[in-house]
Structure formats: C-alpha cells, structure tokens
Amino acid sequence: MSRLHTHKHGKSHSTRPINIRMHPWILQKPDEIIELIKKYRNDNMSSSKIGIKLRDQHAIPLTKPLIKKSITKVLVDNKLNSAIPEDLENIVKKAIGLQKHLKNNKSDKRNIRSLELVEAKIHRLSEYYKKNKKLEKNWKYKSIVAQLG
C-alpha cells in the first residue's frame, strides 16, 4: 500500500510468521495469555505494544491462532479498550508534537504543510470510524483541545 501524501510506496514493515499453527515452544495456555493481555493493558499499554511485549518477552509470535481472538478483540470483550482507536490516537499525538514545534518555530513552512496533511488524515480517519461506529458521532478533533489533553 502506498503512502497517502507522498510518492513513496511505504513497504517498510515487519513480516508475519509463516506458520499460523501453535508452536511447541509456547508454554502458556490461552487463559494465561488473556491474563497477560489484561495485565499489560492495565499498565496503560496499547494493543500494538502488548503484541510486541508478548513477542519479545514471552515468545508468542501471534495470539490469534492460540486464543482464537486478536488482542484488540480481547480488550473489547473485557471492556479495556480506549475511547478512540489506537491509530487515530497516534496521529493526534503526532499533530500535537507538530503544533508544539510550530509554537517555537513559526516560519517552518515544511512542518506547517506537514501539520495540514496530518490534520486532514485525522479528519478522514475520524469520519471512517464514526461511520463504522467505533467513534462517537459527536467526536471532533480540535487542535487547541488536543494540546490540552
């Protein structure tokens, strides 16, 4: 998939494990994996960070073949999911960082344009999540409110 506002193709990502079956080195039972997910979420970790922690510290490459659910589905079932989706939250944090930078560097034209593109992406993604009922209908991104939160 290509990037939205550039001419690059954006193929930089990690590759998933080839085998989706249960590996013999995984010693945890599905209930233990779900408890680990809940524990890490209570430590304010996002679902992607939980997946990285399970992969690196517990040698669990994928949770879906083991517990028959994704990490986000486990969080939703246990009512531990965040108010806004993780990718939208990351883009809002990026916009806040750009706004802080532009407060000190007012003539930085490149980052002014970058902020415009990021905010356009926020609005586009929020419309998608509102349509799919993963975000409240009255949620609205405002740059001043985002800086305070």
Side-chain angles (χ1 to χ4, degrees):
M1 189 163 168
S2 63
R3 295 208 166 233
L4 196 59
H5 297 295
T6 64
H7 300 292
K8 297 179 183 176
H9 292 290
K11 294 182 181 181
S12 171
H13 56 81
S14 60
T15 55
R16 293 175 66 101
I18 296 170
N19 296 341
I20 302 178
R21 62 182 167 72
M22 193 156 165
H23 298 285
W25 67 81
I26 299 174
L27 303 175
Q28 291 89 353
K29 307 235 180 310
D31 296 334
E32 294 172 358
I33 295 172
I34 291 173
E35 290 303 316
L36 281 172
I37 292 171
K38 287 193 231 176
K39 178 184 154 233
Y40 290 142
R41 179 62 191 158
N42 288 332
D43 294 340
N44 287 332
M45 291 181 116
S46 64
S47 57
S48 60
K49 297 242 185 206
I50 292 171
I52 291 170
K53 192 148 187 142
L54 289 175
R55 182 194 70 196
D56 294 344
Q57 292 185 353
H58 300 283
I60 301 171
L62 293 174
T63 58
K64 204 165 191 175
L66 302 174
I67 60 176
K68 308 297 187 250
K69 293 180 190 175
S70 64
I71 293 173
T72 50
K73 181 70 175 148
V74 170
L75 295 177
V76 168
D77 290 348
N78 292 300
K79 295 180 177 62
L80 293 171
N81 56 333
S82 61
I84 63 173
E86 182 183 359
D87 55 350
L88 183 61
E89 188 175 343
N90 290 338
I91 296 173
V92 169
K93 285 179 186 176
K94 187 176 199 174
I96 292 169
L98 283 169
Q99 289 167 354
K100 286 179 184 176
H101 171 77
L102 288 171
K103 209 178 269 186
N104 296 331
N105 306 295
K106 294 186 186 337
S107 64
D108 192 351
K109 304 288 188 209
R110 184 177 215 158
N111 281 335
I112 290 172
R113 175 72 176 144
S114 178
L115 180 62
E116 290 172 355
L117 296 177
V118 166
E119 287 181 342
K121 200 179 289 187
I122 289 170
H123 292 299
R124 199 169 34 255
L125 198 57
S126 66
E127 288 302 314
Y128 168 78
Y129 282 130
K130 286 177 189 177
K131 190 168 55 172
N132 290 335
K133 297 182 174 100
K134 293 183 181 179
L135 196 61
E136 297 175 13
K137 290 282 184 191
N138 59 357
W139 187 89
K140 187 167 179 144
Y141 170 78
K142 294 179 185 153
S143 61
I144 297 168
V145 176
Q147 286 180 358
L148 298 175

